[in-house]
Amino acid sequence: MPGHYSWPASQDEKQSRVGISLYDHQCPDTAKPTRTKWLGRAAMLIGLCLLLSTILKRCLAGLSGMPDANYRVGDIKWWPCTGADDVPGAECGYAIVPLDYFNASAGVAKIALGRYKATGTSRKGIVVLNPGGPGGLGKRLATVTGPQFQDRIGEEYDMIGFDPRGIGETEPRTQCFPTPEAHTAFIANTVLERGYDVGPDLTDPANRYHLIQLQRDADALWQTQFEICAKTMGDTLRYMGTSTVARDIDFITSLLEGKDALINYYGTSYGTVIGQYLVNMCDIPIVQAMNIHGVVDADDWANLPAYKWERLWQTSTEAAYDIFTDDCAEAGPSRCALSKSDDEPGSDILRRLEQFLEDLYDKPLAVPNANPPSILTNGRTRLFLLGALQKPATWPNTADALDRAMKGDGSAILQRLQDGQYLVDLERSAVSCNDNKPFSAPTPEEVIDEQLYVLEHISRFSLALVVAEPDAGCQFWPVTPPERFLGPWNHALRNPILIISNTADPATPISNGRRVQESMGDNARLLVQDSPGHCSHALPSLCTTKAMRAFFADGTLPEEGTICSVDASPFPLNGTAQEYSEEDAKLLESVRRIAQIVSRKWD
């Protein structure tokens, strides 16, 4: 396969796109047994105009966070952003899109947008950004880090961020509980907040029995939450799935760039699922350039129940854990608080950490100085460690917090866990459960036996991931979305996409990136970044960033088998910084800034 693609459309391609309306991209209607085309733009707009005055108010009555009935599909508005973190020149806005792309009478949705305009001399269009989650506030990627994303992607593009369906400032929003505090109170000190406490002997029947009891609690909690959602939100919950988000991106691109405009997209983590939907849902290619980082396999996401994901998605977690302890040992006591001597191997640090976790199973640590006061348990500490492995730039602070806990003060760990909470309601469940193919409810025994296998053979963080990535319980989800795309995932594309995976990503392993690349064949190219952490921005790499810029500049792909090293260490050595050119130093700082903002979980 050639390594360079020229993107200007041929005359035939331009003609094939002319006349294709915003609703007519020949995407399959996966909610029905037959395939249908999207409704024509003119018919939809006329129908909406006729129906809005008489039907829309009735449709929207009582629905939380629904846009005002006076909005019209296709409305778009911009104004200068005024938030404390927003950069000069950033614009905030919204776009009005159909609530249901298959039912004109359902009403409208109001998608929150952010824009940072191109600063280069020759504007090429827009790049739509998504930070993952589900639950990440994409609007702020443009309004807070727009300049840094231009450094990474190219100054010739407008950076467009958006809050997806049900999330952030987008309306309708997912709001099952009256306030975020009410939801926090509901899960406080339950297994959904403190995690699963796993005993040291995975073969002990008592340990299995204990975990099954916790799973019964978890199932009842999920069922209760979803029944609350059904009462407070009703059918509005149907419209939060990824299939609808993909249509929103296409719709918004058409509003901003014209009906024949192709999509440019950059997504990380769950944002890679959105990307895979975009390139596979439609019968004709609607994407020009796509770059996805930290890959979630959309086939697993859509077609497997969540309790079976860990077997596939935890294959790099232990590698990241080993790098953390080995790098700490190499840094020594002066730079890593967990290291006890200059010649101590990482295996000794790992052994002490695991012994600490085993001790917490039998005797949780009282933490009276936390705000609020609480206890540090085996499950909470494993959750903390899993989150820390995703962010190697925080490893010095992580080591310090763990060292303090091992000496009797767990307040730093509890504070980090509290600060890391970013889902204000059931935003994530509304996406993952609308996407997930219905399945027979597994018994608690089946779930725990699967998790025990993963704990023993793949990763000791398996049950921590269940809580950290709350996608479980979809057997209790109360609604059916208007559309649920389940594949296939090997669509022929106009241009190959660029996939980037880390060698030791504890959340989205390199095996996912390889599987997606293999399923797409010549339609994708995989670049590997040799580093720990979640997504390529976890540690900055000039090699990776320059490959991205070349890709968005003119379609240049890295050579097959390219492996990029990083230009930073989790435990930096003071006074030995490598010298970089002014341009390269700016690129590295931009990646650090993006990682810093994304790691805040948009709270």
Side-chain angles (χ1 to χ4, degrees):
M1 184 174 68
H4 180 276
Y5 291 80
S6 179
W7 284 348
S10 68
Q11 190 61 34
D12 289 343
E13 287 172 324
K14 288 179 179 179
Q15 290 174 351
S16 72
R17 187 76 171 167
V18 171
I20 296 173
S21 76
L22 302 179
Y23 302 89
D24 193 18
H25 287 158
Q26 303 183 52
C27 289
D29 177 359
T30 55
K32 301 178 177 65
T34 59
R35 296 168 62 87
T36 64
K37 295 183 178 181
W38 295 6
L39 299 174
R41 181 183 186 187
M44 174 68 85
L45 292 176
I46 292 170
L48 280 172
C49 289
L50 293 173
L51 288 168
L52 276 170
S53 60
T54 57
I55 295 177
L56 193 54
K57 290 182 180 178
R58 174 169 54 84
C59 289
L60 301 183
L63 298 182
S64 173
M66 293 293 289
D68 185 271
N70 292 322
Y71 288 115
R72 298 292 187 269
V73 168
D75 287 351
I76 192 162
K77 185 176 181 180
W78 297 103
W79 59 88
C81 296
T82 57
D85 294 332
D86 293 328
V87 297
E91 294 178 299
C92 294
Y94 62 76
I96 303 301
V97 304
L99 183 66
D100 185 337
Y101 285 90
F102 301 95
N103 178 10
S105 68
V108 300
K110 181 181 178 182
I111 309 299
L113 299 176
R115 177 166 67 182
Y116 187 79
K117 288 186 175 180
T119 57
T121 57
S122 179
R123 182 182 180 276
K124 291 183 176 179
I126 67 173
V127 175
V128 180
L129 311 170
N130 183 271
L137 306 184
K139 173 184 173 181
R140 295 188 64 191
L141 293 186
T143 67
V144 178
T145 54
Q148 288 76 35
F149 271 102
Q150 282 190 350
D151 288 340
R152 202 157 202 228
I153 292 173
E155 293 79 8
E156 297 80 15
Y157 291 99
D158 295 354
M159 299 294 111
I160 302 293
F162 73 106
D163 292 349
R165 292 289 183 109
I167 294 163
E169 298 175 27
T170 284
E171 302 172 11
R173 62 186 180 274
T174 302
Q175 186 176 355
C176 302
F177 290 80
T179 64
E181 292 76 18
H183 178 241
T184 299
F186 177 79
I187 66 171
N189 290 310
T190 70
V191 63
L192 300 187
E193 186 267 339
R194 60 183 279 171
Y196 291 76
D197 294 315
V198 181
D201 184 358
L202 297 177
T203 64
D204 184 355
N207 190 26
R208 178 177 181 270
Y209 175 80
H210 164 70
L211 292 173
I212 290 170
Q213 293 303 107
L214 288 177
Q215 187 59 42
R216 290 193 173 112
D217 286 353
D219 285 346
L221 288 162
W222 286 119
Q223 183 175 2
T224 301
Q225 289 185 118
F226 293 167
E227 289 182 3
I228 290 171
C229 262
K231 290 179 180 178
T232 56
M233 295 198 65
D235 277 351
T236 312
L237 287 172
R238 301 174 64 228
Y239 304 113
M240 312 305 185
T242 303
S243 298
T244 305
V245 172
R247 294 189 187 275
D248 288 343
I249 292 173
D250 185 41
F251 191 103
I252 291 166
T253 298
S254 298
L255 288 179
L256 293 175
E257 297 294 290
K259 67 181 181 181
D260 58 347
L262 297 174
I263 297 166
N264 299 310
Y265 179 79
Y266 171 103
T268 64
S269 196
Y270 158 75
T272 69
V273 175
I274 298 175
Q276 290 166 75
Y277 277 57
L278 280 169
V279 296
N280 287 296
M281 276 178 57
C282 294
D283 289 336
I284 64 169
I286 64 172
V287 171
Q288 174 146 290
M290 176 177 292
N291 181 203
I292 55 177
H293 301 239
V295 178
V296 177
D297 188 338
D299 191 22
D300 297 342
W301 176 266
N303 291 296
L304 288 179
Y307 79 97
K308 293 188 176 181
W309 292 349
E310 283 74 36
R311 183 185 292 243
L312 301 167
W313 293 2
Q314 287 275 277
T315 55
S316 292
T317 309
E318 294 299 315
Y321 195 17
D322 287 340
I323 293 172
F324 169 61
T325 54
D326 287 346
D327 280 10
C328 176
E330 184 177 349
S334 64
R335 291 183 288 141
C336 180
L338 288 171
S339 177
K340 299 308 176 187
S341 66
D342 288 330
D343 57 353
E344 180 183 38
S347 57
D348 283 0
I349 298 172
L350 178 62
R351 177 186 51 77
R352 285 202 308 276
L353 277 173
E354 287 302 305
Q355 185 61 57
F356 175 60
L357 283 157
E358 290 182 12
D359 293 343
L360 287 175
Y361 180 79
D362 293 317
K363 186 179 180 181
L365 179 65
V367 191
N369 296 326
N371 185 21
S374 190
I375 61 173
L376 185 61
T377 63
N378 168 283
R380 278 183 170 140
T381 307
R382 188 71 74 186
L383 274 169
F384 169 75
L385 256 174
L386 178 61
L389 294 179
Q390 297 183 26
K391 297 174 282 190
T394 70
W395 284 0
N397 289 336
T398 295
D400 182 66
L402 287 165
D403 182 61
R404 288 170 58 186
M406 293 165 78
K407 294 174 179 175
D409 179 9
S411 56
I413 290 180
L414 290 181
Q415 191 62 54
R416 284 266 296 273
L417 285 171
Q418 182 176 326
D419 293 344
Q421 296 297 321
Y422 72 102
L423 296 172
V424 297
D425 204 288
L426 299 185
E427 300 162 321
R428 180 165 179 137
S429 295
V431 177
S432 56
C433 290
N434 275 325
D435 289 354
N436 207 192
K437 180 174 70 175
F439 56 92
S440 299
T443 66
E445 289 81 1
E446 288 174 322
V447 173
I448 293 306
D449 285 342
E450 170 68 14
Q451 295 297 334
L452 283 170
Y453 174 87
V454 179
L455 287 166
E456 184 174 1
H457 298 283
I458 300 171
S459 174
R460 66 197 95 195
F461 291 90
S462 177
L463 280 166
L465 188 67
V466 172
V467 177
E469 309 277 357
D471 300 300
C474 291
Q475 64 267 33
F476 303 115
W477 191 241
V479 297
T480 299
E483 179 179 26
R484 178 183 282 129
F485 183 69
L486 302 176
W489 307 99
N490 57 354
H491 197 283
L493 306 183
R494 184 175 183 273
N495 298 307
I497 71 172
L498 176 60
I499 299 172
I500 300 178
S501 287
N502 293 7
T503 52
D505 188 324
T508 52
I510 192 171
S511 56
N512 279 4
R514 286 178 174 143
R515 279 193 291 141
V516 171
Q517 191 277 325
E518 288 169 4
S519 69
M520 298 190 71
D522 289 346
N523 292 298
R525 178 68 56 84
L526 174 65
L527 181 150
V528 174
Q529 180 169 300
D530 186 15
S531 64
H534 183 36
C535 303
S536 66
H537 56 245
L539 286 175
S541 165
L542 285 173
C543 170
T544 299
T545 298
K546 290 181 178 181
M548 289 170 52
R549 286 182 63 90
F551 174 71
F552 279 104
D554 58 15
T556 298
L557 291 167
E559 294 292 329
E560 287 198 43
T562 296
I563 300 176
C564 286
S565 60
V566 295
D567 294 273
S569 169
F571 297 96
L573 184 62
N574 295 332
T576 61
Q578 183 176 339
E579 293 294 329
Y580 293 98
S581 69
E582 183 177 349
E583 179 183 356
D584 286 352
K586 183 184 178 186
L587 291 179
L588 292 173
E589 186 55 37
S590 290
V591 178
R592 291 188 186 99
R593 173 63 173 161
I594 290 170
Q596 180 186 46
I597 296 298
V598 172
S599 69
R600 286 166 50 187
K601 297 293 188 182
W602 308 102
D603 55 1

